[in-house]
Amino acid sequence: MVEYRAVFDAQVDFANGGGLRTDGFRLDVPHPDVTDDEVAALLVRHLGLLMVGEVRITNRTVVEEPHKGGRGLDVPASGGRKLVELSHVIAEGLVTLPGWPGPAIGDWLTREESRNRYAPGVEFHVARIDMIANTGTYVDTPSHRFADGPDLTGVPLDRLADLPGLVVRVPAGTRAVDRLMLAPYDVAGCAVLLHTGWDAHFGTDRYAAPEAPYLTGDGAQWLAEAGAALVGIDSINIDDMTPAAAGQRPAHTGLLAAGVPIVEHLTGLDALPPTGFRFTAAPPRVAGMGTFPVRAFAVVAA
């Protein structure tokens, strides 16, 4: 579906005095023929402005561009639905984190061997896999960071499955996702998915490059305080992995201390609308483990 955004300047005058000026503001719009009055109303709603006396829109153009989300537009209701895959394929030798071992996949019981165990014409295959828990798209639970935190068996399903989803579109070239970038969003109870586009480099050396996007500690604290249920990212790590960060991992620390699961190495977030979908990333219930691969997916209105 083609989506549009308006680019414009605006002067907002408040009924109780004062004003607000914006230049080159970009805002989701419902169609390419949107009027100045419609843009003005969307702007007021998007910014949550009160006691507005007048809004003057100038230099308006409309561009074909995916919606970034916010409070301007409601997601239209629909009777149908579709499932969107958001996880990487785990295959023999997959490199998720450079320098960390990939999975080894083989047979425990081959089809040929099974024929001696079952009735004529009946055969089965049983595979085995040897891998570290941080493989492919995976979830971090509090015990990944804290020895006394809940593990895969202790995180409730309502933190992992059928969550209302919200996508934060991170501008190209932006590394640090901070509090100011997150502030426009109502994240309470949501799976907040940071769409950076860095998944395009998954499986290559560039995936671990110093310019990989990440969530700041301040941004993580804001998400935890605002009540996010889960936070995901399509980058190599939710924290800054450069040597300058000295391995501090403030985003992991802040979110997991607040009981907020983290899903790393997502993919395909460009296929999601800004809001109005349901998100699931549930691992098996393995005792004593803090991370594990998930089949992450979204249910979207068709």
Side-chain angles (χ1 to χ4, degrees), residues 245-295:
Q248 296 180 48
R249 301 295 191 267
H252 275 91
T253 300
L255 292 173
L256 296 178
V260 181
I262 299 166
V263 180
E264 294 177 310
H265 311 287
L266 287 164
T267 189
L269 296 181
D270 57 322
L272 297 181
T275 57
F277 62 91
R278 311 293 294 189
F279 177 79
T280 294
R285 300 178 72 195
V286 184
M289 294 186 70
T291 65
F292 208 84
V294 293
R295 185 73 178 267

Side-chain angles (χ1 to χ4, degrees), residues 108-186:
W108 181 79
L109 180 67
T110 67
R111 295 187 182 280
E112 293 75 15
E113 292 168 342
S114 77
R115 293 169 190 159
N116 298 322
R117 300 189 177 199
Y118 302 99
V122 178
E123 63 181 43
F124 294 96
H125 174 245
V126 181
R128 67 182 302 160
I129 184 169
D130 180 8
M131 68 177 183
I132 61 172
N134 292 37
T135 296
T137 304
Y138 54 80
V139 65
D140 294 342
T141 65
S143 74
H144 177 51
R145 172 66 178 82
F146 301 102
D148 58 351
D151 63 7
L152 296 171
T153 70
V155 176
L157 278 176
D158 61 9
R159 285 280 186 156
L160 300 165
D162 196 32
L163 292 164
L166 184 156
V167 177
V168 176
R169 308 285 186 202
V170 180
T174 300
R175 284 205 67 223
V177 180
D178 58 15
R179 178 184 294 255
L180 285 178
M181 189 175 295
L182 299 166
Y185 299 92
D186 182 4

Side-chain angles (χ1 to χ4, degrees), residues 214-263:
Y214 66 95
L215 176 67
T216 67
D218 183 59
Q221 181 181 0
W222 185 89
L223 287 169
E225 292 173 351
L230 174 150
V231 178
I233 192 169
D234 59 357
S235 187
I236 188 169
N237 200 293
I238 203 162
D239 271 297
D240 184 2
M241 292 181 63
T242 59
Q248 296 180 48
R249 301 295 191 267
H252 275 91
T253 300
L255 292 173
L256 296 178
V260 181
I262 299 166
V263 180

Side-chain angles (χ1 to χ4, degrees), residues 43-64:
L43 177 66
V44 169
R45 183 178 178 192
H46 178 74
L47 296 180
L49 301 177
L50 301 175
M51 302 186 71
V52 173
E54 182 182 8
V55 179
R56 295 184 294 279
I57 303 295
T58 56
N59 301 321
R60 173 177 54 84
T61 60
V62 176
V63 297
E64 184 177 312

Side-chain angles (χ1 to χ4, degrees), residues 88-89 94-97 136-137 198-204 207 265 267:
H88 291 286
V89 174
L94 171 74
V95 175
T96 302
L97 295 160
T137 304
W198 203 251
D199 59 316
H201 306 299
F202 185 83
T204 72
Y207 195 55
H265 311 287
T267 189

